[in-house]
Amino acid sequence: MSSSVPRKRVRKSPDARRAEIVEAAALVALTEGLECVTLRRIADELTVRPGLISHYFPSVEDLVAEAFGSAASAELDRLVPEDPGGQAPTERLARFLARTAGEAYDSVSRLWINARHLSRYRPVLRDRVAEQEVAWRGRLEGLVREGVERGEFRTPDPYVTTIRILVVLDGLGAHANTDTAGRPPAVTRMAVATAEEGLGLPHGALDPPAAPGPGGEPPAPATTG
């Protein structure tokens, strides 16, 4: 006769439980949209009762705003880490621009489109969108200013140059819901070209590094026309 030993339930701390809820909500927001973030949906994701979710987030509007803020902050930390890790500003900016192309960034672009649309009707979300815009602008402007201080970049107004780069990225990201397979390379590269022009850099200075050749040897130097 077989017997089963019931699994011991582990009670999580309030901070850990709240973080778990926000993480689940951020994932739903990224993959399905902020409209799908409901107390019941997140409860189903975590296999808990909806009452547990409402204990931490009595208003679903707070959870929606927190989900967006968490996802946007995580992406900012991935694209422009606060700790440069010894990389020069030019390398960090090139990496940032390279990572703003592709399906992974398109998911974040869709989230921003979604959040900005819904924020017209949801004041809590509107405040969080504004907060994230300030954070993204500040982090990138800090990188630009560091490059100017080190003599890598040349711009009379780092703030304006930062805004120009972000406006182009927003414009390109607005098409995240459409097929951009036929987009000309010059359009795909528009944010890079805007950054190079605004920072006094030669064409190609902010292109992503080429992959290593066979055997791991460095690629041949790129040439510009």
Side-chain angles (χ1 to χ4, degrees):
M1 183 175 179
S2 62
S3 63
S4 60
V5 178
R7 290 181 299 174
K8 183 178 180 181
R9 295 188 62 184
V10 178
R11 182 179 293 276
K12 297 183 178 180
S13 70
D15 288 345
R17 178 64 78 181
R18 189 180 191 281
E20 179 185 54
I21 292 170
V22 172
E23 182 180 0
L27 182 59
V28 169
L30 273 170
T31 56
E32 301 175 37
L34 289 165
E35 297 93 337
C36 295
V37 176
T38 65
L39 301 183
R40 180 170 293 280
R41 176 58 192 282
I42 304 308
D44 290 343
E45 288 289 319
L46 298 176
T47 63
V48 299
R49 294 182 181 277
L52 178 64
I53 309 300
S54 63
H55 172 74
Y56 289 91
F57 294 94
S59 168
V60 70
E61 299 303 327
D62 292 332
L63 180 55
V64 168
E66 195 70 20
F68 168 72
S70 176
S73 292
E75 184 65 8
L76 175 59
D77 288 339
R78 187 180 78 87
L79 293 174
V80 192
E82 287 190 286
D83 181 1
Q87 282 194 318
T90 302
E91 295 177 275
R92 289 155 58 200
L93 184 56
R95 183 183 62 183
F96 164 74
L97 292 168
R99 289 180 173 178
T100 56
E103 179 57 31
Y105 189 73
D106 282 349
S107 295
V108 178
S109 294
R110 293 185 190 102
L111 180 65
W112 274 93
I113 294 170
N114 189 199
R116 282 172 170 149
H117 171 69
L118 292 180
S119 69
R120 294 176 60 193
Y121 320 103
R122 301 185 177 188
V124 178
L125 179 59
R126 182 165 60 243
D127 290 345
R128 190 59 59 90
V129 168
E131 178 183 306
Q132 283 298 318
E133 287 175 340
V134 170
W136 280 62
R137 186 167 59 243
R139 187 80 62 88
L140 186 58
E141 183 186 357
L143 170 56
V144 170
R145 288 188 181 279
E146 183 182 343
V148 171
E149 291 168 1
R150 292 191 179 194
E152 294 183 28
F153 303 153
R154 297 186 305 279
T155 175
D157 195 329
Y159 176 78
V160 171
T161 300
T162 298
I163 296 297
R164 288 179 60 199
I165 295 170
L166 289 175
V167 166
V168 174
L169 287 174
D170 277 348
L172 295 172
H175 298 277
N177 289 325
T178 59
D179 182 8
T180 58
R183 178 179 282 174
V187 175
T188 302
R189 196 181 180 279
M190 194 174 291
V192 175
T194 299
E196 289 172 345
E197 178 188 357
L199 297 173
L201 297 171
H203 178 85
L206 294 176
D207 282 338
E217 67 272 14
T223 58
T224 58

